[in-house]
Amino acid sequence: VLMGYGYDPKLMNVFFRPFDRYMTARLKTAVPVMYLCATGGVSDTGGIESNFRGLDTFYELSVSDTVRNGDPFLKLVIEPNNLVAEDVFRVFVNEEEISMEQKNDSNEMEISTEQKNDSEIFGSASSALLENINQISSSTSLDDPTSPQSKARKWLLEQDPFRGSLSTSRSMNRYTIAVIYLSLRLPNIAAHLVGQEDECSWTGVTCDAAGDVIKIDLQNSRLTGEIPSEIQYFAPTLEHVDFSENDIVGLIPDGLYSLRKLINLYLHNTTLTGTLSPKVSNWAELNNLYLGNNELVGEVPKEITMLRKLRFLILHANKFNGNIPSSFNEMKSLFYLDLSYNDLTGVLPESLSGCTKLRHAYLDHNKLSGPIPSSYGRLGGDWIIDLTMDSNQLTGGLPSKWGDKKKLLTLKVQNNNLRWEIPKDICKQWVLDGNGELVELGADCNICRCDFCRGRCYS
């Protein structure tokens, strides 16, 4: 359905650019094929103010209607500067339908249509939208008809039931979410995209009162693709991302590091590869970072200690190597630290003792060496709960101050090269003695003389 040149060609051409062909529409529901509305004019008027009337003169097509080429659909009356021009929109049905369907036993969205120039297909009304898409997606991806970006653009501009009736920002939200769905291979993609006007009600998407996307939660959704860099479009508002418990592959994209408002990032239990970028410093608002049980490599970037608001830092079960960053004393909010099951080397950083709010610290199953710093007696203040350093190459003994940790539940230091006997004050924290809350002490038999070590120590 497309407007023609009008009964007064000179006047109508002021308002609407000439088109060489019709835009096709698929007519199969009992709703109007196209809605038109304007308040203070249209964007292609060259600055001439205009008002629309006559928009109530349209025909709804019922399921039983016989639609024929040339049938009148909408009569539009335009009154610019006290002049009147009328145009009648007529139905034009192309034999070639644009279809979006889910392949059998596949999560790919198939879109087939004749290759045409964007301006021929979409017209000037979508020029701003196309420009925005080109800013966040590479030309290489958009030119590849098999890419998630190309498929999302085609869906948005050719098949979205609400195309043309939404603002550019709303349309960009829909494009970006569609790219995320397609790139991550969300099962049954077509069902998630078709028929819902409000993208804030799409699967896993939450918006604030202004309609801005603030949360994307696709945890345990059988995702098997990659995280697209287009997620950066939500940088001004996105606070929560959860793609955990999926079979996601590939790298952490640069676009994810652009999310400066991010508070929660859950990417654990996937199969992400590559390194963790120094760009983590962009996540200044981050409270929770869960990257455990992936295949990440390289050093833990020192910039991670710049995250002053971080409470949970979970990097366990990856392949991180090198030294633990040395500036943990800057992380005043750190509550939970898990660096276990990696290939970390070097000594324990003194700075970790400055994390006075730390309650849970898991450093086990690495290749850490050297003595346990005496300053670790201050670790977590008097409130440390879980402390595991087992299965490393640590030497010396345990800080005597650990005997003052009345809230300590778990202490594991077995399978190291420790030689000094465990302080008796630590033994006194055994919960059954009524002096503390210690319920698990893991230690080698040669250094543990506590009564409760008998039968429980490691030889």
Side-chain angles (χ1 to χ4, degrees):
V1 180
L2 185 68
M3 60 195 73
Y5 290 90
Y7 293 105
D8 185 337
K10 293 182 179 179
L11 183 59
M12 294 303 294
N13 280 338
V14 172
F15 289 91
F16 305 107
R17 293 179 181 173
F19 285 81
D20 296 328
R21 65 188 70 206
Y22 287 112
M23 181 187 296
T24 64
R26 193 172 184 179
L27 308 176
K28 60 185 295 184
T29 60
V31 298
V33 178
M34 180 181 291
Y35 292 97
L36 297 177
C37 60
T39 54
V42 291
S43 61
D44 205 22
T45 62
I48 300 177
E49 290 295 323
S50 63
N51 292 304
F52 283 40
R53 69 175 177 84
L55 293 181
D56 56 338
T57 312
F58 64 85
Y59 303 92
E60 288 197 3
L61 304 173
S62 67
V63 176
S64 60
D65 282 341
T66 300
V67 181
R68 296 171 299 179
N69 285 353
D71 284 351
F73 167 66
L74 170 64
K75 180 178 180 179
L76 176 64
V77 180
I78 302 178
E79 298 184 37
N81 303 329
N82 298 321
L83 299 176
V84 177
E86 295 183 353
D87 196 13
V88 177
F89 300 153
R90 299 182 181 277
V91 172
F92 175 78
V93 181
N94 194 343
E95 294 180 356
E96 177 187 6
E97 291 184 342
I98 303 172
S99 64
M100 178 181 71
E101 59 183 278
Q102 183 182 4
K103 294 181 177 179
N104 292 333
D105 301 323
S106 173
N107 293 325
E108 294 186 1
M109 183 170 66
E110 183 179 21
I111 301 178
S112 58
T113 184
E114 178 186 351
Q115 294 295 322
K116 301 176 182 178
N117 180 276
D118 287 344
S119 62
E120 291 181 328
I121 298 175
F122 310 124
S124 61
S126 50
S127 60
L129 178 57
L130 290 171
E131 183 178 349
N132 276 271
I133 290 175
N134 291 336
Q135 287 178 355
I136 68 168
S137 296
S138 68
S139 58
T140 301
S141 62
L142 291 171
D143 290 342
D144 180 1
T146 65
S147 73
Q149 292 80 7
S150 179
K151 290 179 180 180
R153 182 180 63 172
K154 283 185 176 295
W155 171 81
L156 180 72
L157 298 173
E158 300 178 18
Q159 298 170 263
D160 183 357
F162 303 96
R163 63 189 181 277
S165 64
L166 303 175
S167 65
T168 298
S169 61
R170 287 273 315 271
S171 295
M172 282 301 299
N173 285 351
R174 296 165 81 84
Y175 168 75
T176 305
I177 299 169
V179 170
I180 292 172
Y181 284 175
L182 287 162
S183 185
L184 290 173
R185 298 181 181 273
L186 179 67
N188 197 18
I189 293 173
H192 295 287
L193 295 179
V194 176
Q196 299 185 61
E197 176 181 3
D198 188 357
E199 62 277 4
C200 294
S201 64
W202 289 5
T203 300
V205 178
T206 302
C207 299
D208 60 15
D212 295 319
V213 176
I214 59 173
K215 180 178 180 179
I216 302 177
D217 188 343
L218 295 175
Q219 178 191 21
N220 196 19
S221 297
R222 294 183 292 138
L223 308 177
T224 59
E226 301 182 9
I227 304 172
S229 204
E230 279 78 5
I231 198 171
Q232 66 183 300
Y233 178 73
F234 297 130
T237 59
L238 192 57
E239 299 176 351
H240 181 108
V241 173
D242 190 347
F243 296 147
S244 64
E245 310 288 346
N246 287 291
D247 292 325
I248 295 174
V249 298
L251 311 176
I252 299 175
D254 280 346
L256 199 61
Y257 295 112
S258 300
L259 303 179
R260 298 178 181 273
K261 297 289 186 179
L262 206 57
I263 296 175
N264 304 306
L265 179 58
Y266 302 106
L267 299 178
H268 54 285
N269 296 344
T270 67
T271 52
L272 289 171
T273 56
T275 61
L276 189 58
S277 170
K279 295 178 183 177
V280 295
S281 59
N282 291 338
W283 296 331
E285 301 298 319
L286 202 63
N287 287 180
N288 302 299
L289 177 59
Y290 284 61
L291 295 177
N293 198 17
N294 280 288
E295 297 179 13
L296 299 172
V297 299
E299 295 187 355
V300 177
K302 64 180 184 299
E303 288 80 5
I304 207 164
T305 61
M306 298 172 62
L307 306 182
R308 307 290 192 262
K309 298 182 180 181
L310 197 64
R311 299 186 70 248
F312 284 76
L313 174 57
I314 300 179
L315 304 178
H316 76 278
N318 280 282
K319 299 177 182 178
F320 289 115
N321 55 41
N323 295 341
I324 298 176
S326 60
S327 302
F328 271 99
N329 57 306
E330 300 294 332
M331 304 182 74
K332 301 300 184 183
S333 300
L334 192 62
F335 179 87
Y336 193 109
L337 173 66
D338 192 348
L339 302 178
S340 63
Y341 289 90
N342 280 288
D343 294 318
L344 298 172
T345 57
V347 299
L348 294 169
E350 289 267 1
S351 62
L352 195 59
S353 61
C355 299
T356 56
K357 293 184 179 180
L358 189 64
R359 300 294 179 265
H360 309 269
Y362 304 96
L363 307 175
D364 54 282
H365 292 86
N366 282 287
K367 299 175 182 177
L368 300 170
S369 59
I372 300 174
S374 60
S375 62
Y376 275 34
R378 301 192 305 271
L379 189 66
D382 293 332
W383 300 94
I384 191 74
I385 297 173
D386 297 306
L387 185 56
T388 66
M389 298 181 177
D390 54 294
S391 302
N392 280 289
Q393 301 166 16
L394 300 174
T395 59
L398 307 186
S400 59
K401 287 291 185 180
W402 283 358
D404 299 332
K405 306 291 186 184
K406 302 296 184 181
K407 300 297 181 181
L408 188 62
L409 293 177
T410 303
L411 176 61
K412 300 177 71 174
V413 293
Q414 74 272 15
N415 297 327
N416 278 289
N417 297 320
L418 299 174
R419 293 291 181 263
W420 299 353
E421 186 175 323
I422 291 179
K424 292 181 179 180
D425 285 343
I426 293 179
C427 297
K428 294 178 181 178
Q429 299 305 320
W430 183 237
V431 65
L432 295 182
D433 290 342
N435 297 317
E437 298 184 11
L438 187 64
V439 296
E440 183 177 6
L441 174 60
D444 295 330
C445 295
N446 65 316
I447 64 170
C448 187
R449 299 292 185 263
C450 304
D451 290 341
F452 61 84
C453 276
R454 296 171 184 170
R456 296 188 181 92
C457 59
Y458 293 79
S459 59

